[in-house]
Amino acid sequence: MKILIVEDEPSLREIMSRALTQEHYVVETASTFAEADAKIAGYDYDCILLDIMLPDGNGLRLLEHVKQLRKRENVIIISARNSIEDKVEGLDIGADDYLPKPFHMAELLARIKSVMRRGRDGYGRDITMGNVALDPESRRVSVAGRDLPLLKKEFDILSYFMTRPNHIVDKAALAEAVWGDHADEADNYQFVYAQIKNLRRKLEEAGSDIEIKAVYGFGYKLAAADKNDPDK
Ligand code: CA
């Protein structure tokens, strides 16, 4: 799950970023309208936390851009201007929630979970494919009913694939979703290959009937394991 924090106040941005990273979200930040606008246009997020008063513009206009681009991001407005007009306008444009400052981190986390659950990704429900089940909220994976311990990035990769079964996943898109900021600009993807290799091995050893297959020249896809493969 990837979150963009749009907030110009450095200390609040830092506190939010730390709290969300601790909760295993992939976090990116923007401190100005221009920076946020460029990120929203160029990347996909699961959720955007949006401050309204930015030094170079009004956050509500960013929300309009999200809607104009027909993006699927959940947007939670975070604003010190606890005015009813802002709230009404924000929800009118299509924000999913509104949280007035100051707020407790626990409340922010609860709101994020709540909008994600309502969202179109089926967040919060178990995702199953073959004999593999993944619970996005508790971050647990099981194979044929038995727990499969995964490292953080391995879980994130599997989760990315399981929400896109049978889709060919491009290395750059995967790197961007799982590693965040600028990973897609890396000149090689050794870090992606290494994690996928470990994840594949773990799935195979656990007797998974799905596997991550390499699609030569394109990337990878998650599909039913080939049980007749003589190498197995
Ligand atoms: Ca502000």
Side-chain angles (χ1 to χ4, degrees):
M1 294 288 151
K2 197 168 154 200
I3 298 188
L4 175 65
I5 300 172
V6 182
E7 171 61 62
D8 62 312
E9 202 215 302
S11 60
L12 179 58
R13 195 171 60 237
E14 183 53 33
I15 291 168
M16 286 199 285
S17 173
R18 227 178 300 141
L20 294 174
T21 304
Q22 236 166 43
E23 292 292 309
H24 306 290
Y25 293 107
V26 175
V27 178
E28 291 190 15
T29 60
S31 54
T32 62
F33 183 99
E35 196 187 343
D37 206 27
K39 288 199 163 178
I40 288 166
Y43 301 94
D44 291 322
Y45 300 92
D46 297 293
C47 186
I48 300 172
L49 306 176
L50 186 62
D51 182 25
I52 292 190
M53 290 176 75
L54 296 166
D56 53 343
N58 183 320
L60 290 173
R61 303 288 83 78
L62 282 172
L63 176 57
E64 284 177 344
H65 292 182
V66 171
K67 298 297 160 188
Q68 278 159 10
L69 292 166
R70 298 185 176 281
K71 304 198 82 176
R72 310 165 67 230
E73 272 85 345
N74 294 296
V75 178
I76 300 176
I77 292 177
I78 285 167
S79 176
R81 290 168 67 187
N82 193 12
S83 85
I84 194 78
E85 293 83 32
D86 273 352
K87 181 172 179 173
V88 169
E89 193 187 349
L91 294 174
D92 231 32
I93 300 172
D96 297 278
D97 205 350
Y98 182 98
L99 185 60
K101 291 178 192 169
F103 52 83
H104 287 285
M105 284 305 134
E107 164 127 49
L108 175 66
L109 294 170
R111 299 283 188 108
I112 292 171
K113 284 192 174 150
S114 157
V115 298
M116 301 276 236
R117 213 174 285 127
R118 293 202 308 257
R120 281 143 287 186
D121 285 280
Y123 180 79
R125 267 171 279 152
D126 272 18
I127 306 167
T128 58
M129 193 177 163
N131 61 359
V132 180
L134 178 145
D135 177 353
E137 236 168 321
S138 68
R139 299 180 58 86
R140 292 165 73 119
V141 174
S142 65
V143 177
R146 286 168 55 191
D147 260 359
L148 176 65
L150 294 179
L151 299 176
K152 180 182 183 309
K153 293 300 184 196
E154 293 167 353
F155 177 90
D156 291 340
I157 292 168
L158 183 61
S159 164
Y160 188 84
F161 276 106
M162 285 186 72
T163 49
R164 295 161 182 80
N166 296 309
H167 279 54
I168 294 175
V169 168
D170 158 89
K171 287 183 288 285
L174 177 67
E176 187 215 311
V178 174
W179 280 269
D181 264 342
H182 309 304
D184 57 328
E185 292 161 18
D187 43 8
N188 75 62
Y189 290 101
Q190 280 313 321
F191 55 104
V192 180
Y193 301 135
Q195 299 278 354
I196 286 189
K197 195 174 154 215
N198 292 338
L199 177 58
R200 275 170 146 169
R201 182 179 46 76
K202 286 187 180 182
L203 285 171
E204 194 189 331
E205 284 172 3
S208 156
D209 56 14
I210 56 171
E211 68 178 353
I212 297 168
K213 295 182 172 176
V215 181
Y216 187 72
F218 293 99
Y220 298 94
K221 77 172 182 179
L222 186 67
D226 187 357
K227 294 285 184 196
N228 297 322
D229 188 335
D231 293 341
K232 302 240 163 93

